[in-house]
Amino acid sequence: MEVAVKDSRVLGSMLKPETVAILGASSNKNKLGYLQVKALLDGGFQGDIYPINPNADMIEGLRCYHSLADVPKQVDLAVFCVSAANAEECLMDCAKNKVKSIILFASGYSEVGEKGFEKQERLRKIAEDNGIRLLGPNCVGLVNTVNGLVCTFSPGLTELPLKNKREVGFITQSGAFGVLTYIAAAQAGLTFNYFVSVGNEAETGFSDLVEYMIDDPETSVISGYLEGEKNPDRLRRLATKALDVNKPIVIMKSGRSSAGSRAAVSHTGSLAGSDKIYDGFFKQTNIVRAEDYDDIISFSKLFQAKKLPKGRNTVIITSSGGRGINEADRCEAYGLHIHKLQTKTRQKIEQRIPSFASAANPIDLTAAAAVTNPELFIEPLKALVEDKDVDIIMFSEFPMNWDADSPYLQEFIEICSSTDKLVFITTFPLEGMAVPAGTDELEKNGIPVITGDLNPVRALAKLVDYSERYRQTKQEKGNEFPGKKTETNVSKLMRPGATLSESEASEVLESYGIPITKRQLAITETEAVKCAEEIGYPVVLKIDSPDIPHKSDANAIQLNVTGEQAVRTAYREVLENAANYKPDAKVNGVSVQQMLPQGVEVICGVSNDPTFGPVIMFGLGGVFVEVFEDIAFRVAPITKQDAIDMITETKGYQVLRGIRGKPAADIDAIADVLMRVSALASDYKHDINELDINPLIVYEQGIVAADAMLTVKETENLSSVAGGK
Amino acid sequence: MEVAVKDSRVLGSMLKPETVAILGASSNKNKLGYLQVKALLDGGFQGDIYPINPNADMIEGLRCYHSLADVPKQVDLAVFCVSAANAEECLMDCAKNKVKSIILFASGYSEVGEKGFEKQERLRKIAEDNGIRLLGPNCVGLVNTVNGLVCTFSPGLTELPLKNKREVGFITQSGAFGVLTYIAAAQAGLTFNYFVSVGNEAETGFSDLVEYMIDDPETSVISGYLEGEKNPDRLRRLATKALDVNKPIVIMKSGRSSAGSRAAVSHTGSLAGSDKIYDGFFKQTNIVRAEDYDDIISFSKLFQAKKLPKGRNTVIITSSGGRGINEADRCEAYGLHIHKLQTKTRQKIEQRIPSFASAANPIDLTAAAAVTNPELFIEPLKALVEDKDVDIIMFSEFPMNWDADSPYLQEFIEICSSTDKLVFITTFPLEGMAVPAGTDELEKNGIPVITGDLNPVRALAKLVDYSERYRQTKQEKGNEFPGKKTETNVSKLMRPGATLSESEASEVLESYGIPITKRQLAITETEAVKCAEEIGYPVVLKIDSPDIPHKSDANAIQLNVTGEQAVRTAYREVLENAANYKPDAKVNGVSVQQMLPQGVEVICGVSNDPTFGPVIMFGLGGVFVEVFEDIAFRVAPITKQDAIDMITETKGYQVLRGIRGKPAADIDAIADVLMRVSALASDYKHDINELDINPLIVYEQGIVAADAMLTVKETENLSSVAGGK
């Protein structure tokens, strides 16, 4: 079932080739084969360029070869400027000539249906059999702005000057949207080091590029536009690796609206909200989710500074009081703290700025002072870097005319470099006025400059979240998932297509160490009394039948039963009502259970997502799930931190924390159950269709699963504990 | 208490003067007095300009007058380019010479403290006594882009070319932020017809300008930046007037974060969240709230089209599949419907576009087709305007090279003009590529063009909300607030500083026709039994004492009491527990009340906001208020539609609508209570400090206030029914 994974280093032949052949090179200025040669020359490509055309000797001053076989060196990359009809033949020629990688722009493959897919599969097979890395088909190509490798037919990519290059790679599943993002980023002063359009991903896919960039020393931030990841397991492993080396991954995932979080109501069976699952997946892998192209740009800019704020305490320095208020509004809306400065720091600042300026946060230098004495912008910074309570310093407005040679700018950069606090600059997005003269110098020195239209505060909030999670992960090392259990009794219960009875489902939970209600199965009245006395009054009596999953509907449940006589009566009534409700139901007996004291009712479940496999869900019962759809999702397996995050991200956490003087519920116990459910879901990922523990009752200390429902997939039992994964 | 209101027509002398005098005009190119003359000349001001300077004869080719008295015509507007020290003297000179209005840039007034305030008050008095309209002080001035009246010292305003003028006025309480917004709007292709910085609002305030623009035939949309409105009553009346003539008002209100909606928890006493009140105020007045400068621009652009969509059914036409998905995501996130096209419409479109393009919504013409056959953009439009289910047609991408002379553009405009559906265009915000050549022509013809960075979809959602409310208001005509009651018994209870006992508070509610629990006060055991039998079992017994507002804490309440003996026991226990809890409490007796059947518990309250006066709040009880802070606010008095809006905007509405097969609660009954509470709050706005009906129990039919708490202001009883308003 695993998708084949190739060695990412071979991709170097595609992204950093030394020799590039252009198949179908042409002197005709309207042809792709000409434009591609021109693009490499204009880009200043640093390696060898070999135009290939059987009928030409020179193209744009370059010697043209009649065939691949004539090329004097081994070809790292061949760019196909040929029609789809000739692609297969050309690919075989590449194989014969030991070409390492190719780019195929042509369309007419899997995107047009079954026949195209077959054509594409043939190409994939040839490439894989010959160890050739293949980008495309149906892509707009790739650009490496560092070595001038411009392999694309898109004028948007070829016509931009290659300045403001940053260590940010960009991978896109949509060509057109990718090109627009590339241009918008370049206009905002961020030129990606790599732009890669993966097209139909016949052989080289999104994750392959992510892996390459993790290993690439010239990339600090990996960004991308994703419509769907076929192999989330692999992306997850890569994300772990990226986090380990602190290379943030920023992804815009489209298709939010198709996700029916509406459906995720009241019952784990309907947890179809795959976009909510992506959200959970991104959170647990610390992949930073961007909402749009502007997020990709601003997040990348900010993350590229390589400073991880230690907290949320933010100080704003501005020369416009109004703008300061607005930025403060935005910060608080995004969960940052507008930090009240200590008296000492405040006094230091007051000594350095004019009396009519304000040393409170936001620090307002006033427009007058800022215009006449721009050096004032440095003064509060000096005091702030000395204050250990300050985590983030945000300049809203900045002297426009300080260029790279300005001694003020150099002093500013020096102070910023001396501190581990994040310092960044936001400006009002006015054409010709938004970008301070020193922007490139600032950004090269880890001080991002982001115009207000790119939502810098949202980017900041994301960076702070990432930093928190990054530190947690470092602390969490060795906090692995609970080991798998080899419970043969559980495997035995996983009958294809079965709906487990409550007692069977409880047995499964108990095998994984999840506390369940004390219970015994009685098949006679006298036995029921004996059970009740052993468990202790009051008790609950319920029908135990796989054919009656909704016992309340059948009136086959009696609560709060105390005393022998009452147990006898309840026993008879439960059986009678069940028989009336469904005369042909298979009945195992009557389950006698402990009557649980009141606690907070939560829900925990598992659903099986077609893309992600087993997904764990958590939420509070009642209106929280039914009305507010207040549910957290994570893909199994989960860590303890994931479990804690799931609990705390729900609004219902406010109740668990204790409202109106009530004591807090046992959060650790919930996290423990979530991890055990995750272990169960992982062990039986090919078996469990759906698990619903509802309610799971949490106390000040301890937790009990009061009821559970488990259904097994219809298909053959594909895994057992032994055969798992 | 009412702030004096001036005749808005006189403001015409300030905004559309025919004669402008510049006091302190100068030949010194560094002086404000020179820059101001230059700005009027550069702006192409269409009236007469009179520089005033005792020592100059000519300035920039204009005859200079030695004093105001020398000017041959009556001066409509005098611009003060003099220091604050001379302002008072100049103003008196203006009065003597019958100048109609003045602009005062100088600062050093109320913004610097008490002394400055006194200076400002003297200016205000002189202006008012002489009927002079005064803008400022401490403002950056005003610009009328239509007649070239550029009265400002801000280079940001004087240096922009005056093109793309639209019928959108802009009023700002922050000079700097206002200038930045003006520039950003101009760069986005929207030049305001008026820019007015109101500064300290000594005489002419924000609302005065709103009023002027409502009456102004050259203004279609009124926009503004507001930090705080001193007289919300007046703004409300103006908003009603604006709505009546369908002139949308778009306001960015800053200071969201200072609003403690956190505080608005569990108890109406802490409803300090004035930002949430602003939110409610804007909703009930149909003022469109902008979050930032970009909203001001995009909302104004879209509203200026003067088309009110009849519904939320939106169709997207794009040439980029990826972009189409993203716009659809955004539409759904903002509550718009991506409309599934009828087969008939779909077929019509299919006949007109290439086979590889998609006629499903989003309609994807594909990049290839769009580049080679841009006329394709018109084809789906023809079919869509004929489909009555389509309300909104959104072009994401548009042919870039269609200029005003293009027959395609003219055909496109013709089709758009023939339909009442809203058609607009969004583009990807790339420098030099974002704005189609025909933008000005399109916008003049009511087809807005908005770049993606300005959040056009958010603007669309706001327009749809506005349109719905607009139509509701038209239907609602004559649906006035319930008339005032003259309940002398209520006035009598409003003792300054009092906390009313439950029975007193209930009496107040009953006077306003709000259903309350059947109840009788008993002062002996026997009487309690008699009351209980009259009311009907089961009953509730509660202590009635103004000194014990929290009866549960005192254990002085007994629920579900049935039978004579139980009533006797309960009566004694309630009194005993109350005596133990607070031995010196004044006790009126024991209240015997109907034991209400279960229903949905909601909360309704009144608090007295220092700015807005009585504010009505509504929310569901329990976690809805305590955890989710799920509370709706409106300023009293409210209409029936306001009441319905309050109910439906809470998340708790899902519960009231009936969840899990439960019947819906009586929404009309809740709305009725909210309106009655509003009448009470308005009648006694100077008396009621706080009212808290909690719980108010709603049934499938009917509603009952089960408990109420009312406190009266400490101050003298300022109003009675007779003296109100």
Side-chain angles (χ1 to χ4, degrees), chain B residues 646-688:
Chain B
M646 287 177 80
I647 299 163
T648 53
E649 85 180 35
T650 62
K651 292 177 187 157
Y653 175 60
Q654 306 302 321
V655 174
L656 294 168
R657 239 176 22 171
I659 45 168
R660 296 213 136 194
K662 282 186 194 159
D666 192 339
I667 306 290
D668 272 346
I670 305 174
D672 185 67
V673 168
L674 289 172
M675 287 170 75
R676 289 174 188 278
V677 166
S678 162
L680 165 63
S682 301
D683 287 356
Y684 292 93
K685 65 180 173 184
H686 299 299
D687 304 85
I688 295 175

Side-chain angles (χ1 to χ4, degrees), chain A residues 310-592:
Chain A
K310 277 183 293 193
R312 296 178 175 268
N313 286 348
T314 306
V315 178
I316 297 169
I317 301 171
T318 184
S319 57
S320 152
R323 201 73 200 142
I325 296 173
N326 299 332
E327 294 290 14
D329 279 3
R330 252 175 241 122
C331 284
E332 294 209 353
Y334 280 106
L336 301 163
H337 302 153
I338 296 301
H339 176 61
K340 190 165 187 292
L341 295 172
Q342 321 170 1
T343 315
K344 203 178 130 193
T345 303
R346 207 178 145 142
Q347 283 170 346
K348 275 196 218 167
I349 296 171
E350 273 166 0
Q351 286 161 12
R352 295 169 182 196
I353 62 176
S355 60
F356 53 83
S358 164
N361 184 8
I363 297 169
D364 179 8
L365 301 172
T366 76
V371 170
T372 50
N373 297 86
E375 66 278 12
L376 280 176
F377 274 89
I378 300 180
E379 297 303 324
L381 182 63
K382 290 178 187 163
L384 293 172
V385 295
E386 287 165 8
D387 183 337
K388 69 173 175 27
D389 295 342
V390 173
D391 303 311
I392 297 152
I393 302 164
M394 170 173 163
F395 283 81
S396 160
E397 315 300 330
F398 193 77
M400 284 292 143
N401 57 349
W402 289 358
D403 59 19
D405 299 328
S406 152
Y408 295 127
L409 192 81
Q410 290 303 334
E411 186 184 357
F412 182 83
I413 290 173
E414 211 165 284
I415 300 171
C416 295
S417 303
S418 73
T419 176
D420 58 356
K421 300 179 198 307
L422 173 74
V423 185
F424 75 107
I425 296 164
T426 77
T427 62
F428 203 84
L430 299 176
E431 264 169 51
M433 292 168 69
V435 185
T439 294
D440 191 44
E441 185 75 5
L442 288 161
E443 295 209 320
K444 274 194 243 164
N445 284 282
I447 306 154
V449 180
I450 308 179
T451 52
D453 58 332
L454 296 175
N455 259 307
V457 175
R458 185 158 70 196
L460 176 60
K462 286 282 185 176
L463 175 63
V464 171
D465 286 346
Y466 173 89
S467 306
E468 270 179 12
R469 176 86 200 180
Y470 176 78
R471 274 188 295 274
Q472 281 162 357
T473 312
K474 292 283 167 195
Q475 283 166 7
E476 218 183 20
K477 281 273 175 189
N479 177 357
E480 301 298 328
F481 314 128
K484 293 180 183 185
K485 304 253 171 171
T486 43
E487 297 289 342
T488 49
N489 60 331
V490 174
S491 300
K492 212 171 54 199
L493 290 167
M494 297 291 174
R495 304 176 302 272
T499 298
L500 269 52
S501 74
E502 188 191 333
S503 62
E504 289 171 332
S506 297
E507 197 183 331
V508 173
L509 299 185
E510 204 174 15
S511 301
Y512 276 78
I514 296 163
I516 58 168
T517 321
K518 275 189 248 170
R519 67 180 68 216
Q520 293 181 24
L521 191 67
I523 52 170
T524 67
E525 245 179 73
T526 311
E527 210 176 18
V529 173
K530 195 171 144 272
C531 296
E533 278 166 2
E534 278 174 28
I535 289 167
Y537 291 114
V539 291
V540 178
L541 276 78
K542 292 179 185 174
I543 197 72
D544 185 344
S545 161
D547 300 329
I548 306 178
H550 299 291
K551 294 172 275 280
S552 312
D553 293 353
N555 213 4
I557 175 164
Q558 297 229 356
L559 303 173
N560 221 358
V561 181
T562 301
E564 178 181 339
Q565 205 44 55
V567 170
R568 289 183 183 277
T569 313
Y571 181 89
R572 285 194 301 269
E573 283 179 10
V574 162
L575 280 177
E576 261 174 47
N577 292 344
N580 290 337
Y581 181 74
K582 202 165 193 182
D584 57 346
K586 177 181 177 290
V587 171
N588 300 326
V590 172
S591 177
V592 182

Side-chain angles (χ1 to χ4, degrees), chain A residues 579-618:
Chain A
N580 290 337
Y581 181 74
K582 202 165 193 182
D584 57 346
K586 177 181 177 290
V587 171
N588 300 326
V590 172
S591 177
V592 182
Q593 306 180 3
Q594 172 192 16
M595 175 83 195
L596 292 171
Q598 227 193 341
V600 182
E601 298 196 353
V602 301
I603 296 176
C604 164
V606 176
S607 69
N608 225 311
D609 186 82
T611 304
F612 288 98
V615 171
I616 313 299
M617 72 78 100
F618 168 78

Side-chain angles (χ1 to χ4, degrees), chain A residues 106-118:
Chain A
S107 46
Y109 292 92
S110 67
E111 81 279 10
V112 298
E114 191 56 41
K115 276 207 163 163
F117 179 71
E118 284 165 16

Side-chain angles (χ1 to χ4, degrees), chain B residues 138-194:
Chain B
N138 190 30
C139 73
V140 302
L142 81 81
V143 179
N144 175 341
T145 59
V146 179
N147 71 355
L149 178 80
V150 182
C151 295
T152 178
F153 58 93
S154 167
L157 297 172
T158 55
E159 286 169 10
L160 284 174
L162 301 177
K163 58 179 182 178
N164 304 319
K165 295 173 209 170
R166 302 281 176 259
E167 296 180 348
V168 180
F170 178 68
I171 311 157
T172 180
Q173 282 186 338
S174 159
F177 189 72
V179 170
L180 289 171
T181 302
Y182 178 90
I183 300 171
Q187 289 182 351
L190 165 66
T191 296
F192 298 123
N193 59 357
Y194 304 114

